[in-house]
Amino acid sequence: MRMIKNNNNPINETKIVDQIRALSIDMIHNAKSGHPGIALGAAPILYTLFAHQLRIVPENPKFYNRDRFILSAGHASALLYSILYLAGFNIELEDLKKFRQIDSITPGHPEYGLTPGVEMTTGPLGQGIATSVGIAIAEKHLEALINDSKNKPIDYYTYVLVGDGDLMEGVSYEASSLAGTLKLNKLIVLYDSNDITLDGKTNLSFTENILERFNAFGWHTSEVLDGEDINEINKAISDAKLVTDKPSFIKIKTTIGKHSKFQGTNTVHGGDLSDEDITNIKEKLNMRDIPFTVSSDVVEDFQYLIYERCSNLTDEYREKKAYLDENKRELLEKITADNKKIDFSSLDIPSLETNSLRKVSGQILNAYAKNNDLFFGGSADLFSSCNNYIENKGDFSASNYIGQNIYFGVREHAMAAIMNGISLAGFRSYSSTMLAFSDYMRPAIRLSAMMHLPNIYIFTHDSLTVGEDGATHQPVEQLLSLRTIPNFEVFRPCDTNEVIGSYKVIMEKEQNPAAICLSRNNLEVLPNTSINDVARGAYIVQKEKVHLDGILISSGEEVHLAIEVANRLFTKGKDLRVISMPNIERFLQQDKEYIDEILPVEKRKIAIELSSSYNFNKIIFNDRYIISQNEFGTSGKKDDVLKKYGFDIESLEEKVASLL
Amino acid sequence: MRMIKNNNNPINETKIVDQIRALSIDMIHNAKSGHPGIALGAAPILYTLFAHQLRIVPENPKFYNRDRFILSAGHASALLYSILYLAGFNIELEDLKKFRQIDSITPGHPEYGLTPGVEMTTGPLGQGIATSVGIAIAEKHLEALINDSKNKPIDYYTYVLVGDGDLMEGVSYEASSLAGTLKLNKLIVLYDSNDITLDGKTNLSFTENILERFNAFGWHTSEVLDGEDINEINKAISDAKLVTDKPSFIKIKTTIGKHSKFQGTNTVHGGDLSDEDITNIKEKLNMRDIPFTVSSDVVEDFQYLIYERCSNLTDEYREKKAYLDENKRELLEKITADNKKIDFSSLDIPSLETNSLRKVSGQILNAYAKNNDLFFGGSADLFSSCNNYIENKGDFSASNYIGQNIYFGVREHAMAAIMNGISLAGFRSYSSTMLAFSDYMRPAIRLSAMMHLPNIYIFTHDSLTVGEDGATHQPVEQLLSLRTIPNFEVFRPCDTNEVIGSYKVIMEKEQNPAAICLSRNNLEVLPNTSINDVARGAYIVQKEKVHLDGILISSGEEVHLAIEVANRLFTKGKDLRVISMPNIERFLQQDKEYIDEILPVEKRKIAIELSSSYNFNKIIFNDRYIISQNEFGTSGKKDDVLKKYGFDIESLEEKVASLL
């Protein structure tokens, strides 16, 4: 327990700000790398937020109804860590001394799950602000699900610090535009405006009127002309909190590298400061020039300010929670649980009278979501193609926050970033678009994998069999490029049973994201597909009849082709086994016995997949035996397209026969 | 040669618009798929542009000084093809009947290189408008390089048709913001504003004030309230052309699916219309209800309008070109040549007194660009890290269009899309950022590969040896996900010689994009590296001394580790060969003799690469012999990070020894 101020001495706020600055540059100097510019420039902003606005419980950083603070400008990590330390989070001075060192809790950019008080992994610019929109969306939705007119346990704000780089990234525009449409008034963005980026002055590349831009998006905007003025910053935030129907954007003019001899220039953006510069800065700030000097008065005063505002948060929340009915309490338990596994056995599987995997996918998702408000997601303007609309749960909109279906618009990247926010707030988020457009989402998908978030990505139109829409809409390289992301699983089911099986495995995951890739076309249910075997990644979907002459391995839509090829070749005296492999990575993790059982080493194996040949090289070395697609597709009727690339039955039969 | 009107009958413009509409819906009905909504709604906009503004030479669609028209809303392909057909481009009625069919020149979305008059491949939303910014940037730059106060051969406009979807995509904001900063007054965007997207009304997800947004970006904006009013549309475009210091954005209110019984709803966005609906539409338009009926009057009138404005374009350009000095004429020849190969032998290689591959890369690029204005590119705010600034060529800005260095801002996605535009305009474009952020660029990189554009992507900080910046800045999956893109080459040189060799191969490419991936760290020049052998993808960089005990294969920075491991193991009695493999795909394309020579089949091979194990499975089947990185990295000193993942010399030596 840290000490709390109990005298009436006036608090010297400037001294606290300068303490934050000194610690930050000490960290960077000690590490010999980092970003002193924003740490020196934006210290008053973060100080004001933490001292006067942010409702947090430092000793319980995961307290659910805390206000969130997202450092979108992730390179300001030293600034964040020094503030978290001074505020009383479980970070020691020793941790600050290990800034940017191996196995420390103070890495070069903030990492979710590693440091108490760090709400998400940031560093790639634009992601923080976009993900914050997701956190704010989740807050509105949970408010609608939990609160009533008298009892309001859910009531947090989401604050973000952004720099110019964040605001130049497309994903920040996409998400901000949607935030305006959704009137997310509890989202407050603080813009550290210092007119400098890594390469020089922002006016070389970024001259837009940023307040006008956010006005155009339907935001409340304001400006603080002096970023050193704590009262003005504080007032701007307080004013923003009074706005009831708009998110807020506060532009705060700062000086990058404030007090350094290079202040106001890009020289001070990244890289260590010199000994001399640090000595001079500390002299200016009236601080002792001994690294990592911390004044206990400063700590006491800063923590007092936080304690005074926040000490009753936990009790208040507990009281309010006690008034909730059992269903709502249960939902809150799920939301706050670390383990997001959802049991399959309780699932009421509908009768599935369709061969459209997209429709089946939608029905299974609906079955899961029917009695479980843990699910929250939407589509990038493709509900009608991807079929992931949740029935009877309404549209999420500014006038209906209880609605579960989010219309992300044609904004795949923001959708993925927002999903991260929704997951960070405790929901299980899902989304949909076409597989070819997963490319737009990659930076945010990568962060979901890095943060171990259990996001569900539904990607339809998963191969050249898209047909008429042509090459731009036909994925070729996407399956592999998703499969290669660490912590990420890719499922490509071949029929209804495997769709169910894929969802089963995905929902039972305790953490980590997954994609389910679905054909555009109707595919009949195959006789021997298995719900449960999807968990093993691959299994025998059609056994050889008498004597094993070879093995065809395939996934998704092509499994149907492989079976047809096997059947045709059987009449010609070749007895083939067919393996369905909806998840390569899972299969490779099975024990050797199982792998050897279904894929005996001595037998000829041939893979058939409408995707890059790299996919199957872990199973079949020689590319000759991988019938794959290594060029872009073309526009035409599905069957014509297949024929053009040798994926029609006749060509495949001939090819396979020649390879046996 | 098509006939030209020579009587004085008044032209019935509505009839031409309706002819375009009828042809478009006939095409879609014939194909049984397509997007009738925008074809019916935006026909008057495209008609006005082609009939009254666009300066084109239908019989010579590649005429360099033509105005460009980019259909960013690529799903309106039927509309574009019918207009191109009626305008007299080399498209036959038969081609329209083959819309969306295999091997036709009228694919589902427009494809560059396939259809006369199609300026780029579109379909993935947002790409068209962003690439158009690149085309307009290239125009300004070429104007500055070629024109003088009296003689102005280069003088084209770039027009774009966008829909709501384009404007929701982040890349459209990024590029538009930069276009405003750069005051690209010859860029004119026509916005088909119909309040409808695939999933329903745009107000579910997109309520921003779009004109205010473009004003905030520094654009001229205007609005046409009736999208059927040709005169108003024409006037708005004419007014936009008078603006000398801003790009222009014209919002035109249209009715999606105009004249269909589903007009104004998302039902008519995609999918075929019914027979009945088509009959009714044609009745309304007073047209014969026979598919693909074309009135010769209409053709004559439409082509007359184009001819009248454009017939002297070619002669004028030829005359102006004749007045240019030899250097300028030579540059224009290069710009307009299809083959973008640049000879290495003429290169004046500087003395390279550094071990920083990033610096060497910059010096080679500078050597190429020094006497050749064909190069044009920049950086996403990382000139100072990626070292691709071209010396003595100035910054490209609104006040200095002759400058060659483009400050793209922190906008990787727009950078890649703009590169496509610059390449389409005939330059060789290049860019730089860190490899981890290549994820942001993928949708535009994909289009560069699809269009065979010879873009050069310089990606630095190419592995976990980034060190302190941590996991978000450390690429793991990026090398593979780039290697899997069709038509795309990835180079990962290990030292100065291989950097030179990589540039040599890249510059000698006649078409298709390539990436060069560079370590952040200084790497000494190895004794046996080769400039010329890079073209073979791999070669022996250190031969075994006496007896071949095994082979280490590596790329980039890890080649240095592999050599060190080989040297250490030699003292312990193991004689290893080391292969440097800067380009896997190229190596796999070598003849069998060469492959077997450097990688004898019977010898143990071990790969060492700080990247996904998938990369080397084509060369080494068993993952056991691929020392790779399949998890995200961490923040720490480079050597500590290497040690943590077993990539320090001691661990590698032990690992390799155990595998031999």
Side-chain angles (χ1 to χ4, degrees):
Chain A
M1 199 60 193
R2 294 184 193 261
M3 286 185 54
I4 298 304
K5 186 181 182 74
N6 54 13
N7 61 33
N8 287 317
N9 290 347
I11 292 173
N12 183 340
E13 301 201 74
T14 307
K15 201 172 158 189
I16 308 179
V17 171
D18 291 341
Q19 172 74 73
I20 295 167
R21 285 184 163 126
L23 267 183
S24 301
I25 58 174
D26 284 344
M27 290 167 68
I28 293 163
H29 197 55
N30 198 48
K32 296 192 179 58
S33 81
H35 297 82
I38 189 169
L40 289 168
I45 303 176
L46 279 213
Y47 164 74
T48 308
L49 181 67
F50 274 74
H52 297 296
Q53 298 287 354
L54 203 68
R55 294 172 307 174
I56 45 174
V57 186
E59 65 274 21
N60 179 14
K62 288 293 202 181
F63 165 66
Y64 189 78
N65 197 40
R66 72 194 180 278
D67 288 344
R68 270 71 171 171
F69 169 67
I70 305 290
L71 183 67
S72 194
H75 54 286
S77 53
L79 173 60
L80 178 60
Y81 301 145
S82 21
I83 285 188
L84 292 174
Y85 160 72
L86 293 171
F89 284 81
N90 189 17
I91 298 172
E92 303 297 325
L93 202 55
E94 280 309 304
D95 297 317
L96 301 191
K97 291 178 183 168
K98 290 184 195 147
F99 179 53
R100 297 185 145 239
Q101 303 312 304
I102 198 90
D103 295 332
S104 74
I105 63 166
T106 48
H109 291 84
E111 291 183 21
Y112 177 68
L114 190 61
T115 321
V118 166
E119 299 282 4
M120 75 170 279
T121 299
T122 52
L125 292 172
Q127 298 297 326
I129 179 171
T131 298
S132 300
V133 171
I135 298 175
I137 282 175
E139 194 276 341
K140 284 291 181 200
H141 187 54
L142 195 59
E143 241 189 44
L145 288 168
I146 297 287
N147 294 0
D148 61 34
S149 58
K150 288 177 187 158
N151 184 29
K152 301 182 194 303
I154 302 302
D155 177 34
Y156 66 79
Y157 280 83
T158 303
Y159 297 94
V160 195
L161 183 73
V162 300
D164 290 297
D166 288 300
L167 298 181
M168 283 191 257
E169 290 286 2
V171 69
S172 78
Y173 296 83
E174 290 182 6
S176 304
S177 175
L178 186 60
T181 295
L182 295 173
K183 303 186 193 296
L184 305 175
N185 67 306
K186 287 167 137 176
L187 173 66
I188 298 178
V189 174
L190 309 168
Y191 166 35
D192 173 42
S193 173
N194 59 32
D195 300 322
I196 295 293
T197 64
L198 196 150
D199 267 346
K201 292 192 191 298
T202 51
N203 64 12
L204 284 166
S205 52
F206 192 49
T207 54
E208 64 182 52
N209 182 327
I210 295 170
L211 294 186
E212 191 180 358
R213 153 182 162 185
F214 277 88
N215 283 329
F217 292 170
W219 289 49
H220 163 77
T221 60
S222 64
E223 184 163 11
V224 175
L225 294 174
D226 177 6
E228 295 289 309
D229 190 333
I230 292 165
N231 291 330
E232 284 299 309
I233 296 170
N234 196 33
K235 183 171 179 305
I237 298 174
S238 294
D239 289 348
K241 288 167 83 172
L242 297 175
V243 177
T244 57
D245 60 348
K246 290 176 175 182
S248 288
F249 181 86
I250 305 171
K251 176 178 177 180
I252 305 170
K253 290 307 292 183
T254 63
T255 304
I256 192 169
K258 181 78 182 175
H259 299 308
S260 157
K261 67 176 172 177
F262 297 111
Q263 73 172 29
T265 73
N266 61 332
T267 309
V268 79
H269 166 85
D272 189 16
L273 302 178
S274 67
D275 286 337
E276 185 205 345
D277 203 2
I278 287 178
T279 300
N280 287 338
I281 291 170
K282 290 198 177 164
E283 202 174 287
K284 272 194 210 170
L285 305 182
N286 282 319
M287 300 196 65
R288 287 175 65 195
D289 190 14
I290 299 174
F292 296 103
T293 301
V294 177
S295 149
S296 58
D297 284 359
V298 158
V299 172
E300 193 180 317
D301 288 353
F302 188 41
Q303 293 189 5
Y304 171 77
L305 289 168
I306 296 169
Y307 182 83
E308 196 187 39
R309 276 186 308 105
C310 305
S311 59
N312 58 350
L313 283 179
T314 318
D315 288 346
E316 268 181 17
Y317 179 71
R318 194 183 300 117
E319 278 167 32
K320 289 176 183 172
K321 204 173 145 189
Y323 277 103
L324 295 175
D325 67 33
E326 200 175 329
N327 283 340
K328 289 182 174 181
R329 270 208 308 273
E330 201 179 292
L331 175 60
L332 270 187
E333 293 303 323
K334 286 182 192 164
I335 292 282
T336 52
D338 281 339
N339 184 339
K340 294 299 176 189
K341 177 175 173 169
I342 296 167
D343 198 23
F344 180 74
S345 60
S346 61
L347 191 68
D348 183 20
I349 298 183
S351 67
L352 303 161
E353 288 162 356
T354 170
N355 288 327
S356 161
L357 303 197
R358 293 183 277 155
K359 288 209 176 116
V360 170
S361 161
Q363 287 169 310
I364 303 297
L365 189 66
N366 267 276
Y368 272 105
K370 193 175 177 184
N371 298 311
N372 191 342
D373 285 327
L374 189 65
F375 291 94
F376 189 28
S379 180
D381 200 42
L382 283 170
F383 275 127
S384 42
S385 282
C386 303
N387 295 111
N388 67 321
Y389 189 89
I390 308 299
E391 299 298 332
N392 306 314
K393 298 271 187 161
D395 298 342
F396 182 80
S397 74
S399 57
N400 188 45
Y401 288 131
I402 205 164
Q404 193 187 309
N405 296 287
I406 305 173
Y407 285 75
F408 289 105
V410 188
R411 303 182 180 102
E412 299 83 6
H413 195 176
M415 175 169 76
I418 289 169
M419 286 171 76
N420 291 346
I422 291 172
S423 286
L424 287 167
F427 289 92
R428 279 204 77 163
S429 68
Y430 56 87
S431 73
S432 74
T433 186
M434 296 181 184
L435 180 57
F437 305 140
S438 63
D439 279 0
Y440 281 82
M441 304 160 70
R442 282 186 74 86
I445 289 178
R446 183 171 210 241
L447 283 184
S448 77
M450 217 171 260
M451 293 191 280
H452 303 288
L453 303 177
N455 294 357
I456 305 162
Y457 303 94
I458 301 160
F459 294 129
T460 65
H461 298 65
D462 75 348
S463 85
L464 267 59
T465 63
V466 163
E468 287 88 345
D469 274 338
T472 57
H473 287 52
Q474 295 168 346
V476 173
E477 69 276 31
Q478 281 70 17
L479 272 181
L480 178 68
S481 57
L482 290 170
R483 281 172 178 151
T484 184
I485 300 174
N487 308 338
F488 193 85
E489 281 198 278
V490 178
F491 295 83
R492 189 167 185 249
C494 74
D495 74 351
T496 294
N497 288 325
E498 289 193 358
V499 172
I500 300 172
S502 299
Y503 272 103
K504 178 175 185 295
V505 179
I506 292 170
M507 295 302 184
E508 285 175 352
K509 284 165 77 82
E510 299 184 4
Q511 57 172 16
N512 286 336
I516 179 164
C517 303
L518 300 166
S519 168
R520 174 201 168 182
N521 303 301
N522 287 345
L523 296 170
E524 64 181 20
V525 180
L526 291 168
N528 300 310
T529 47
S530 155
I531 293 175
N532 287 321
D533 283 339
V534 172
R536 308 173 91 166
Y539 62 97
I540 300 172
V541 72
Q542 180 161 301
K543 215 174 156 19
E544 66 280 8
K545 304 208 167 42
V546 185
H547 175 267
L548 184 54
D549 291 322
I551 304 170
L552 300 180
I553 309 169
S554 198
S555 82
E557 190 166 8
E558 291 87 270
V559 173
H560 299 255
L561 299 173
I563 288 178
E564 175 72 11
V565 167
N567 291 345
R568 287 182 175 217
L569 287 176
F570 185 71
T571 66
K572 295 171 185 168
K574 292 290 179 188
D575 198 354
L576 299 178
R577 174 183 293 185
V578 181
I579 302 291
S580 177
M581 193 172 287
N583 186 320
I584 293 180
E585 289 286 325
R586 248 172 206 264
F587 175 66
L588 292 169
Q589 286 155 21
Q590 300 304 305
D591 55 40
K592 192 173 177 311
E593 197 183 334
Y594 180 69
I595 291 176
D596 289 348
E597 180 195 323
I598 72 167
L599 295 180
V601 174
E602 72 284 3
K603 295 295 174 184
R604 168 64 59 222
K605 295 163 205 78
I606 299 167
I608 303 176
E609 194 184 56
L610 262 168
S611 183
S612 166
S613 66
Y614 274 105
N615 283 289
F616 274 92
N617 281 123
K618 287 193 185 300
I619 292 152
I620 298 170
F621 179 54
N622 193 331
D623 274 8
R624 198 170 133 74
Y625 301 101
I626 301 176
I627 305 176
S628 59
Q629 178 71 19
N630 298 295
E631 57 183 309
F632 292 120
T634 194
S635 173
K637 288 195 178 67
K638 181 194 84 167
D639 291 339
D640 292 339
V641 173
L642 287 177
K643 195 172 169 65
K644 184 179 178 85
Y645 298 104
F647 273 82
D648 59 309
I649 281 294
E650 291 71 25
S651 303
L652 286 175
E653 182 191 343
E654 195 181 314
K655 183 87 196 257
V656 169
S658 76
L659 292 173
L660 283 171
Chain B
M1 197 63 192
R2 292 183 194 264
M3 286 184 55
I4 299 303
K5 187 181 182 75
N6 55 11
N7 61 33
N8 287 316
N9 289 345
I11 291 173
N12 182 341
E13 299 202 76
T14 307
K15 203 173 157 189
I16 308 179
V17 172
D18 291 341
Q19 172 74 73
I20 295 167
R21 284 181 164 130
L23 265 184
S24 302
I25 59 175
D26 283 345
M27 289 167 67
I28 294 164
H29 197 54
N30 198 48
K32 296 193 179 59
S33 81
H35 297 82
I38 189 170
L40 288 168
I45 302 177
L46 279 213
Y47 164 73
T48 308
L49 181 66
F50 275 74
H52 297 295
Q53 298 285 355
L54 203 67
R55 294 172 308 174
I56 45 175
V57 186
E59 65 274 20
N60 179 13
K62 290 291 201 182
F63 166 65
Y64 189 77
N65 198 40
R66 71 194 180 276
D67 288 344
R68 271 70 171 172
F69 168 67
I70 304 289
L71 183 67
S72 194
H75 54 286
S77 53
L79 173 60
L80 178 60
Y81 302 145
S82 22
I83 284 188
L84 292 174
Y85 161 73
L86 293 171
F89 284 80
N90 189 16
I91 298 172
E92 303 298 325
L93 201 55
E94 280 308 305
D95 296 318
L96 301 192
K97 291 179 184 169
K98 289 185 196 149
F99 179 51
R100 296 185 146 239
Q101 303 311 303
I102 198 90
D103 296 331
S104 74
I105 63 165
T106 49
H109 291 85
E111 292 182 22
Y112 177 69
L114 190 61
T115 321
V118 166
E119 298 281 5
M120 75 170 280
T121 299
T122 52
L125 292 172
Q127 297 298 325
I129 179 171
T131 298
S132 300
V133 171
I135 297 175
I137 283 175
E139 195 274 341
K140 283 291 181 202
H141 187 55
L142 195 59
E143 240 189 47
L145 288 167
I146 297 288
N147 294 0
D148 61 35
S149 58
K150 287 177 188 161
N151 184 30
K152 302 181 194 299
I154 303 300
D155 176 34
Y156 66 79
Y157 280 84
T158 304
Y159 296 94
V160 195
L161 183 74
V162 300
D164 289 297
D166 287 300
L167 298 181
M168 284 191 257
E169 291 287 0
V171 69
S172 78
Y173 296 84
E174 290 182 7
S176 304
S177 176
L178 185 60
T181 295
L182 295 174
K183 303 188 193 297
L184 304 174
N185 67 307
K186 286 167 138 177
L187 174 66
I188 298 177
V189 174
L190 309 168
Y191 166 35
D192 172 43
S193 173
N194 60 32
D195 301 321
I196 295 292
T197 63
L198 196 150
D199 266 348
K201 292 192 190 299
T202 51
N203 65 12
L204 285 166
S205 52
F206 192 49
T207 55
E208 64 183 51
N209 183 327
I210 295 170
L211 294 186
E212 191 179 357
R213 153 182 161 186
F214 277 87
N215 283 328
F217 293 169
W219 288 49
H220 163 76
T221 60
S222 63
E223 184 164 11
V224 174
L225 294 174
D226 177 6
E228 296 290 308
D229 190 332
I230 292 165
N231 291 330
E232 283 299 308
I233 297 169
N234 196 34
K235 182 172 179 307
I237 298 174
S238 294
D239 289 348
K241 289 167 83 171
L242 297 175
V243 177
T244 57
D245 60 349
K246 292 176 174 182
S248 288
F249 182 86
I250 305 171
K251 177 179 177 180
I252 306 170
K253 292 305 294 184
T254 63
T255 304
I256 192 170
K258 181 78 181 176
H259 300 308
S260 157
K261 66 176 173 177
F262 297 111
Q263 72 173 31
T265 73
N266 61 332
T267 310
V268 79
H269 166 86
D272 189 17
L273 301 178
S274 67
D275 287 336
E276 185 205 341
D277 202 2
I278 287 178
T279 300
N280 287 337
I281 291 169
K282 292 198 176 165
E283 202 173 287
K284 272 194 213 173
L285 305 182
N286 283 318
M287 300 196 65
R288 287 175 66 194
D289 189 14
I290 299 173
F292 297 101
T293 300
V294 176
S295 149
S296 57
D297 284 0
V298 158
V299 172
E300 192 179 318
D301 288 354
F302 188 41
Q303 295 189 4
Y304 172 77
L305 289 167
I306 295 169
Y307 182 84
E308 196 187 37
R309 275 187 306 105
C310 305
S311 59
N312 57 348
L313 282 179
T314 318
D315 288 346
E316 270 182 16
Y317 179 71
R318 194 183 301 116
E319 279 166 32
K320 289 176 182 172
K321 206 174 144 189
Y323 277 102
L324 295 175
D325 66 33
E326 200 176 331
N327 284 339
K328 290 183 174 182
R329 269 209 308 273
E330 200 179 292
L331 174 60
L332 270 188
E333 292 304 323
K334 286 182 192 165
I335 291 282
T336 52
D338 281 339
N339 184 340
K340 293 300 175 189
K341 177 175 175 170
I342 297 167
D343 198 23
F344 179 73
S345 60
S346 60
L347 191 67
D348 182 20
I349 298 182
S351 67
L352 302 162
E353 288 161 357
T354 169
N355 288 327
S356 162
L357 303 198
R358 293 183 277 155
K359 287 207 178 119
V360 170
S361 160
Q363 287 169 311
I364 302 298
L365 190 66
N366 266 276
Y368 272 104
K370 193 175 177 184
N371 297 311
N372 192 341
D373 285 327
L374 190 64
F375 291 94
F376 189 27
S379 179
D381 201 41
L382 284 170
F383 275 127
S384 42
S385 282
C386 303
N387 294 110
N388 67 321
Y389 189 89
I390 307 300
E391 300 298 332
N392 306 316
K393 297 273 188 160
D395 298 342
F396 183 80
S397 74
S399 57
N400 189 45
Y401 287 131
I402 205 164
Q404 192 186 310
N405 295 287
I406 305 173
Y407 285 75
F408 288 106
V410 188
R411 303 182 180 102
E412 297 84 5
H413 195 176
M415 176 169 75
I418 288 170
M419 285 171 77
N420 291 347
I422 291 172
S423 286
L424 287 168
F427 289 93
R428 279 205 77 163
S429 67
Y430 57 87
S431 73
S432 74
T433 185
M434 296 181 184
L435 181 58
F437 305 139
S438 64
D439 279 1
Y440 281 83
M441 304 160 71
R442 282 187 74 86
I445 289 178
R446 183 171 212 243
L447 283 184
S448 77
M450 216 171 261
M451 293 190 280
H452 303 288
L453 304 177
N455 294 357
I456 305 163
Y457 303 95
I458 300 160
F459 294 130
T460 66
H461 298 67
D462 75 348
S463 84
L464 266 62
T465 63
V466 162
E468 287 89 344
D469 274 339
T472 56
H473 287 51
Q474 295 168 347
V476 172
E477 70 276 31
Q478 281 70 17
L479 272 180
L480 178 68
S481 57
L482 290 170
R483 282 173 179 152
T484 185
I485 300 174
N487 307 339
F488 193 85
E489 279 198 279
V490 177
F491 294 82
R492 189 167 184 249
C494 74
D495 75 351
T496 294
N497 288 326
E498 288 193 0
V499 172
I500 300 172
S502 299
Y503 272 103
K504 178 175 185 294
V505 179
I506 291 170
M507 295 302 184
E508 285 176 353
K509 284 166 76 82
E510 299 185 4
Q511 56 172 18
N512 287 335
I516 180 164
C517 303
L518 300 166
S519 168
R520 174 200 167 181
N521 303 301
N522 287 344
L523 296 171
E524 64 181 19
V525 180
L526 291 168
N528 299 310
T529 47
S530 155
I531 293 176
N532 287 321
D533 282 339
V534 171
R536 309 172 91 165
Y539 62 97
I540 300 172
V541 71
Q542 180 160 301
K543 218 174 153 21
E544 65 281 7
K545 306 211 167 39
V546 186
H547 174 266
L548 184 55
D549 291 323
I551 304 169
L552 301 180
I553 309 169
S554 198
S555 81
E557 189 165 7
E558 292 87 89
V559 173
H560 298 256
L561 298 174
I563 287 178
E564 175 70 13
V565 167
N567 291 346
R568 287 182 174 216
L569 286 176
F570 184 71
T571 67
K572 295 172 186 168
K574 291 290 179 189
D575 198 354
L576 300 179
R577 173 184 294 187
V578 182
I579 302 290
S580 177
M581 193 172 287
N583 186 322
I584 293 180
E585 290 286 324
R586 248 171 207 265
F587 175 66
L588 292 169
Q589 285 155 22
Q590 299 305 306
D591 56 39
K592 193 174 177 312
E593 197 183 333
Y594 181 69
I595 292 176
D596 289 347
E597 179 196 323
I598 73 167
L599 296 180
V601 173
E602 71 284 3
K603 295 294 174 183
R604 168 65 58 221
K605 294 163 205 79
I606 299 167
I608 302 175
E609 194 184 56
L610 262 168
S611 182
S612 166
S613 66
Y614 273 105
N615 283 289
F616 274 93
N617 281 125
K618 286 192 186 301
I619 292 152
I620 298 171
F621 179 54
N622 193 332
D623 274 8
R624 197 170 135 73
Y625 301 100
I626 301 177
I627 306 176
S628 59
Q629 178 70 18
N630 297 295
E631 56 184 307
F632 292 121
T634 193
S635 172
K637 288 193 178 66
K638 182 194 81 169
D639 290 340
D640 292 340
V641 173
L642 287 177
K643 194 171 168 66
K644 184 177 177 87
Y645 298 103
F647 273 83
D648 59 308
I649 281 294
E650 289 72 24
S651 303
L652 285 175
E653 181 190 346
E654 193 182 316
K655 183 88 196 261
V656 169
S658 76
L659 291 173
L660 283 171

